[in-house]
Amino acid sequence: MALEQAVSSSSSTLRNVLTFPKTLISKPQFQVAASPSWKTQRRWGNLKCSMTTTPSYPKPSEIPWQKELCNSVNLIGNVAAPVEIKHLPSGKVVAWTRLCVKKSATQSSSISLTFWDDLAHVASQHLQKGYQIHVSGRLIIDTVETEEGKTQTYYKVVAQQLNFIERNFSSASSSQGQEFDFAMAGGGK
């Protein structure tokens, strides 16, 4: 308000250049107009002042660092390939497959899934191509050099939890959810 009164008592040129809102909204923003005449004017040039409203959102809460949260992901998609399993000489068991994850109505991505030990046995016994599942685990990024000398990056999820997605077609389920289910590659089981 004091600035507005000071401007009112100044020259009429300055009053025409600066505009003030009736109520204080938030931060003022000043900018010089892109006119070549701004250099030739003596006082304020083509300085414009406008007030903008920026909504205020609360800062997200802070949590302590936890190793199990590093690179953690949750994915829902359809099993894109039969599960393969291998028993290693060390006694460990590993199983792997690919998960088709829908990006849009016409696009999907495929990501490698790896299961270890007991979860590898569960995956090999119960997962089949086309089943819709939820996995949570850790995102692993592998970078290898191809024969042509180019760097290739591969992403995979080492699953720590595996769940089937419930297929409920009652009237209570949303039509949007059903459209998503039907549009998934493989159709789900």
Side-chain angles (χ1 to χ4, degrees):
M1 194 67 172
L3 181 60
E4 187 174 1
Q5 290 171 349
V7 170
S8 297
S9 64
S10 298
S11 70
S12 63
T13 306
L14 187 57
R15 262 183 278 128
N16 293 337
V17 172
L18 294 176
T19 58
F20 296 91
K22 298 294 179 199
T23 60
L24 182 61
I25 300 170
S26 68
K27 305 178 201 171
Q29 294 182 347
F30 295 91
Q31 69 183 120
V32 177
S35 163
S37 65
W38 72 273
K39 291 181 182 177
T40 59
Q41 293 186 7
R42 290 184 185 173
R43 294 194 88 146
W44 290 86
N46 287 339
L47 185 66
K48 293 181 181 179
C49 176
S50 63
M51 303 296 275
T52 59
T53 303
T54 305
S56 179
Y57 296 100
K59 180 181 175 183
S61 60
E62 209 171 276
I63 62 170
W65 185 88
Q66 299 172 29
K67 181 179 179 180
E68 57 274 1
L69 292 180
C70 290
N71 299 328
S72 61
V73 295
N74 285 288
L75 298 171
I76 292 178
N78 287 36
V79 178
V83 176
E84 297 181 48
I85 190 166
K86 183 175 185 177
H87 296 269
L88 303 176
S90 65
K92 291 198 163 277
V93 181
V94 63
W96 61 94
T97 188
R98 297 194 57 78
L99 186 70
C100 183
V101 180
K102 186 173 178 59
K103 288 167 55 172
S104 69
T106 59
Q107 293 181 328
S108 61
S109 293
S110 183
I111 189 160
S112 296
L113 296 180
T114 303
F115 305 92
W116 286 95
D117 300 322
D118 290 341
L119 200 53
H121 287 291
V122 170
S124 70
Q125 290 176 16
H126 298 285
L127 292 184
Q128 293 181 14
K129 183 177 178 178
Y131 280 17
Q132 190 174 33
I133 61 170
H134 163 262
V135 292
S136 62
R138 296 187 70 176
L139 181 66
I140 305 293
I141 303 166
D142 290 328
T143 305
V144 295
E145 191 171 312
T146 63
E147 293 175 3
E148 296 84 33
K150 296 181 181 179
T151 302
Q152 182 72 42
T153 304
Y154 295 97
Y155 299 91
K156 69 179 176 181
V157 172
V158 177
Q160 295 168 331
Q161 184 179 1
L162 170 65
N163 300 96
F164 286 99
I165 299 298
E166 187 176 290
R167 306 291 292 184
N168 185 354
F169 292 105
S170 70
S171 59
S173 61
S174 73
S175 62
Q176 180 182 358
Q178 289 178 1
E179 288 171 13
F180 178 80
D181 289 343
F182 287 126
M184 293 295 292
K189 298 268 187 248

